[in-house]
Amino acid sequence: MLKAFGFYSLLALMLISSAVAQKPSTQKLVLPYSPSLDVKSMDKSADPCVDFYQYSCGGWKKNNPIPPDQVSWSVYGKLYQDNLNFLRGILEQASSSSTTGKAPAGAANQKIGNFYAACMDEAAVEKRGLAPLQSNLDAIARVKSAHDLAPLVAKLQMTLGGGILFNSGSRQDPDDSDQQIAALNQGGLGLPDRDYYIKDDAKSKETRERYLQHMQKIFELLGDSPEAAGKNAQTVMQIETSLARASMTRVERRDPYKQKNKIKLADLEQLTPNFDWKSYIRELKLPAFEIINVVPPAFFKEVNARLAAEPVENWKTYLRFHLANGYAPYLPSAFVQENFEFYSKYLRGAKELQPRWRRCVQFTDRDLGEALGQAYVAQVFSPELKKSTQDMVKLIEDAMEQRIQSLDWMSAETKQQALVKLHSIRNKVGYPDKWRDYSSVQITRNDFLGDVERALAFENRRDYNKIGQPVDRTEWGMTPPTVNAYYSSQMNDINFPAGVLQPPLYDAKIDDAPNYGNTGGTIGHELTHGFDDEGSKFDAKGNLKDWWTKDDRQKFDDRTRCVSDQYAQYVVVDDIHINSKLTLGEDVADLGGEILGYIAWKAATKGKDLAPVEDLTPDQRFFVGFAQWACANERPENLRVNALTDPHSPPEYRINGVVINMPEFSQAFSCKKDQPMVKAPEKVCKVW
Ligand SMILES: [Zn+2]
């Protein structure tokens, strides 16, 4: 659902370590400014009607090569780096004040300062070596039978998460979005998608070969002989391949009905009798519950079959690998380096490890994000900015209302329901109204891995404790400095962190046209997610409930098929096409969002006499402003991973694929009817 390249997936990549000591930053805390429409980023030698993305972003692409430690480089990515620099300043101040006792004080500040200081103390991390893993390694060594596995899996999941066998937690009840229920989901793989284990092309085989080498290296770093390490790698591959074969594809996972399977605890025990759920639940101290959502059942059947088929020694090998692989970013540099070599360099094409400070800032944002975020919003997010964003959101919602009412293909009955849903969408701007309280998390200054474990356990505990509780609709799923936005279909809310409302994405200093093209389009994008092929299956309350007439749903499906047929033509890299069933929701949101941005902009500037600026008409500035959010350079390796895992189309198609369906665009640039950026009117895709 995220508009840009998911920040959470970025975090998974930045696993690395260099021994280069960084000097403390002496910068003043200001975010650098660049305008939200930059003519220097354009390529005016390109014809906008032939390739609008090149016309709008050609200069940017030329002037912004990918830094060696990045897997892609973009306007979003660059702003995120600026945010990280800014957060570094906050953390260095917090880190020194937590030792000197000087201002700024405060418990939250002390936690982030100590966490960052422990992360930056690379010498201490090296010196402790494997000691922080020892108690878990000992616990794995003590396992005698498959029966012993359940409590250990629970313990490791608590501080590590879904790398271990499967995912567990709470979720909103698909039938009653006000309530949280217990949930299990597939997981347990070390490669980014189940397809890597299954596809038979040369590249997939090569990737599996490299993954085996990576696993062997991790076992060797744990002290195994090369021979034993090689054998162990094969064992893990065998277990993961079985799990992958029983896992749903990403396209299947987009169907909320396939994500729903509420069963009784007794039924779960029957589905997987070889896993000791009672001791698993006891170890996690889960609140009492009767119903649990388990998806996909085939995956858990396979877990059960493997528990019987694999000797217990194989499971111990599997757990040892995932323990060391999951913690590698917080261990001595040999682990960090190996993690980088496989996940960032081989899989995604990075050339260098990110500097340690930047990794440490990201870990702090991930693990104590709402403590760090308080200091961030205090400095970059004014009440005026919040107010002007809320005003824009209101205009975009009005545009959606107008749009729904004027649809020529939808019945009055379904329109009525769509409006009820639209009016129920809650919008959240900037940062949470109430901040998460981290006072119970113990953070030291000299035990980095322990700090990470305790912070993750705090988050997991918070999540498990929601089981059986009413939903807190004020919660955020992103931290304030995140350069991204999202819609949640069960919360039925749109969320815009302060980090995405900064120049060059949102720019109070310049005219409305590029702002509506860019941020207006983003707001429209998130709003449209409530009505894309997935979001439209949820009602105004966020329940999985059909509110469409059969005939209207049929027409809607025909219209979204137009979009998916269009995007299926586009090539991501080499001979790989967009998997447009995976990207459909995002492609529909991109198109709908930009149409809403345009309508809202016209409403906001009605009656005003708009003049050309920098040789561009107001309409042209709207569209160039839109395109320039997506200016990016991508490494081919990263594009390959994204083709399998990212529900967003590559940047150029997120622009060209949209304008081709907007007659307002071809008018703005006086395109001729047989040019590439123009479709015949009867072929234009129109959903919302
Ligand atoms: Zn999206």
Side-chain angles (χ1 to χ4, degrees), residues 637-648:
E637 293 90 341
N638 194 48
L639 284 172
R640 266 181 185 280
V641 176
N642 287 349
L644 273 186
T645 60
D646 191 344
H648 304 89

Side-chain angles (χ1 to χ4, degrees), residues 459-493:
E459 275 308 322
N460 283 326
R461 170 62 54 219
R462 233 174 50 78
D463 183 53
Y464 288 126
N465 281 350
K466 291 179 190 169
I467 296 169
Q469 298 296 315
V471 170
D472 176 0
R473 293 192 184 259
T474 65
E475 271 201 355
W476 281 65
M478 280 180 184
T479 66
T482 305
V483 186
N484 212 331
Y486 69 97
Y487 167 78
S488 161
S489 44
Q490 281 212 269
M491 290 287 197
N492 197 26
D493 65 5

Side-chain angles (χ1 to χ4, degrees), residues 122-196:
E122 200 172 8
V125 171
E126 289 297 324
K127 203 168 150 211
R128 299 198 71 199
L130 285 176
L133 291 189
Q134 204 52 54
S135 68
N136 279 329
L137 288 170
D138 292 346
I140 294 169
R142 281 195 300 272
V143 169
K144 294 273 186 301
S145 69
H147 185 82
D148 298 342
L149 286 170
L152 184 55
V153 166
K155 186 170 179 288
L156 295 174
Q157 284 180 348
M158 194 66 180
T159 49
L160 259 174
I164 309 288
L165 202 51
F166 55 83
N167 284 292
S168 66
S170 61
R171 63 158 289 175
Q172 282 173 271
D173 186 337
D175 303 311
D176 177 7
S177 69
D178 287 332
Q179 283 297 318
Q180 297 277 3
I181 58 170
L184 294 177
N185 216 314
Q186 67 188 47
L189 308 180
L191 286 168
D193 191 83
R194 46 91 74 190
D195 281 5
Y196 283 101

Side-chain angles (χ1 to χ4, degrees), residues 333-404:
S333 61
F335 283 87
V336 175
Q337 192 62 38
E338 176 53 31
N339 208 313
F340 165 76
E341 290 290 334
F342 181 68
Y343 286 106
S344 297
K345 191 173 179 182
Y346 171 69
L347 274 183
R348 304 246 185 195
K351 307 289 181 221
E352 281 174 17
L353 189 61
Q354 294 192 55
R356 189 163 186 100
W357 70 262
R358 203 183 291 142
R359 286 176 275 139
C360 289
V361 173
Q362 290 175 84
F363 293 141
T364 319
D365 181 42
R366 180 194 65 187
D367 292 348
L368 299 170
E370 290 197 12
L372 179 56
Q374 291 180 44
Y376 174 79
V377 297
Q379 298 185 55
V380 307
F381 200 69
S382 65
E384 295 75 35
L385 182 53
K386 183 161 181 160
K387 172 79 175 55
S388 69
T389 310
Q390 284 166 330
D391 291 346
M392 196 189 253
V393 170
K394 174 79 177 69
L395 284 171
I396 300 286
E397 286 170 346
D398 291 349
M400 186 66 171
E401 176 161 352
Q402 199 189 345
R403 191 78 180 167
I404 290 169

Side-chain angles (χ1 to χ4, degrees), residues 68-248:
D69 62 358
Q70 299 292 317
V71 300
S72 67
W73 198 229
S74 61
V75 168
Y76 265 54
K78 217 173 156 179
L79 175 56
Y80 179 57
Q81 294 303 319
D82 290 343
N83 279 343
L84 293 178
N85 267 318
F86 188 88
L87 297 173
R88 180 193 189 182
I90 292 172
L91 286 169
E92 284 177 351
Q93 282 178 10
S95 168
S96 66
S97 71
S98 54
T99 47
T100 59
K102 281 181 196 151
N109 222 48
Q110 196 175 19
K111 296 251 188 235
I112 58 175
N114 286 340
F115 186 94
Y116 182 73
C119 180
M120 287 303 289
D121 192 349
E122 200 172 8
V125 171
E126 289 297 324
K127 203 168 150 211
R128 299 198 71 199
L130 285 176
L133 291 189
Q134 204 52 54
S135 68
N136 279 329
L137 288 170
D138 292 346
I140 294 169
R142 281 195 300 272
V143 169
K144 294 273 186 301
S145 69
H147 185 82
D148 298 342
L149 286 170
L152 184 55
V153 166
K155 186 170 179 288
L156 295 174
Q157 284 180 348
M158 194 66 180
T159 49
L160 259 174
I164 309 288
L165 202 51
F166 55 83
N167 284 292
S168 66
S170 61
R171 63 158 289 175
Q172 282 173 271
D173 186 337
D175 303 311
D176 177 7
S177 69
D178 287 332
Q179 283 297 318
Q180 297 277 3
I181 58 170
L184 294 177
N185 216 314
Q186 67 188 47
L189 308 180
L191 286 168
D193 191 83
R194 46 91 74 190
D195 281 5
Y196 283 101
Y197 298 84
I198 289 159
K199 287 174 76 176
D200 234 11
D201 58 288
K203 190 73 189 167
S204 300
K205 285 180 182 162
E206 180 202 286
T207 304
R208 288 198 287 274
E209 210 39 58
R210 291 294 298 260
Y211 181 48
L212 279 168
Q213 290 167 16
H214 164 67
M215 290 193 282
Q216 173 165 352
K217 187 76 195 288
I218 292 288
F219 281 115
E220 287 178 29
L221 289 171
L222 284 173
D224 294 2
S225 71
E227 201 199 341
K231 224 175 121 245
N232 287 340
Q234 295 285 355
T235 300
V236 179
M237 184 64 109
Q238 174 189 315
I239 291 178
E240 290 189 7
T241 304
S242 312
L243 298 178
R245 286 189 188 284
S247 296
M248 282 197 285

Side-chain angles (χ1 to χ4, degrees), residues 298-567:
F299 177 87
F300 287 89
K301 254 186 213 159
E302 182 61 22
V303 166
N304 191 61
R306 294 328 301 167
L307 284 168
E310 299 284 346
V312 71
E313 286 308 313
N314 288 2
W315 286 111
K316 291 161 79 166
T317 300
Y318 171 86
L319 293 179
R320 273 176 80 226
F321 170 71
H322 278 281
L323 175 70
N325 196 50
Y327 281 143
Y330 328 118
L331 284 168
S333 61
F335 283 87
V336 175
Q337 192 62 38
E338 176 53 31
N339 208 313
F340 165 76
E341 290 290 334
F342 181 68
Y343 286 106
S344 297
K345 191 173 179 182
Y346 171 69
L347 274 183
R348 304 246 185 195
K351 307 289 181 221
E352 281 174 17
L353 189 61
Q354 294 192 55
R356 189 163 186 100
W357 70 262
R358 203 183 291 142
R359 286 176 275 139
C360 289
V361 173
Q362 290 175 84
F363 293 141
T364 319
D365 181 42
R366 180 194 65 187
D367 292 348
L368 299 170
E370 290 197 12
L372 179 56
Q374 291 180 44
Y376 174 79
V377 297
Q379 298 185 55
V380 307
F381 200 69
S382 65
E384 295 75 35
L385 182 53
K386 183 161 181 160
K387 172 79 175 55
S388 69
T389 310
Q390 284 166 330
D391 291 346
M392 196 189 253
V393 170
K394 174 79 177 69
L395 284 171
I396 300 286
E397 286 170 346
D398 291 349
M400 186 66 171
E401 176 161 352
Q402 199 189 345
R403 191 78 180 167
I404 290 169
Q405 269 159 351
S406 66
L407 288 177
D408 56 7
W409 58 271
M410 189 183 271
S411 70
E413 200 182 339
T414 306
K415 278 183 185 177
Q416 183 58 32
Q417 296 300 317
L419 289 172
V420 170
K421 176 158 184 176
L422 173 67
H423 294 146
S424 305
I425 292 177
R426 177 192 290 257
N427 59 67
K428 301 199 308 233
V429 174
Y431 54 92
D433 291 337
K434 76 174 186 253
W435 296 100
R436 199 157 296 170
D437 176 9
Y438 296 99
S439 58
S440 66
V441 192
Q442 193 208 338
I443 300 294
T444 71
R445 237 181 135 83
N446 53 16
D447 175 16
F448 176 48
L449 190 141
D451 289 343
V452 171
E453 274 190 323
R454 287 182 291 272
L456 291 178
F458 168 80
E459 275 308 322
N460 283 326
R461 170 62 54 219
R462 233 174 50 78
D463 183 53
Y464 288 126
N465 281 350
K466 291 179 190 169
I467 296 169
Q469 298 296 315
V471 170
D472 176 0
R473 293 192 184 259
T474 65
E475 271 201 355
W476 281 65
M478 280 180 184
T479 66
T482 305
V483 186
N484 212 331
Y486 69 97
Y487 167 78
S488 161
S489 44
Q490 281 212 269
M491 290 287 197
N492 197 26
D493 65 5
I494 49 178
N495 301 261
F496 307 96
V500 81
L501 298 169
Q502 306 294 329
L505 301 176
Y506 186 71
D507 185 354
K509 291 205 178 89
I510 67 168
D511 54 313
D512 281 338
N515 279 320
Y516 274 86
N518 191 326
T519 293
T522 302
I523 296 168
H525 171 105
E526 302 307 343
L527 199 64
T528 306
H529 270 317
F531 304 89
D532 70 16
D533 63 312
E534 191 176 346
S536 62
K537 297 190 170 107
F538 294 86
D539 70 7
K541 288 194 168 132
N543 293 329
L544 194 50
K545 199 169 160 196
D546 194 4
W547 46 270
W548 293 67
T549 66
K550 210 169 156 234
D551 190 41
D552 285 332
R553 176 55 78 173
Q554 186 60 50
K555 287 178 183 156
F556 176 78
D557 289 346
D558 291 344
R559 282 163 186 275
T560 57
R561 197 168 311 114
C562 173
V563 175
S564 98
D565 289 349
Q566 178 193 320
Y567 282 77

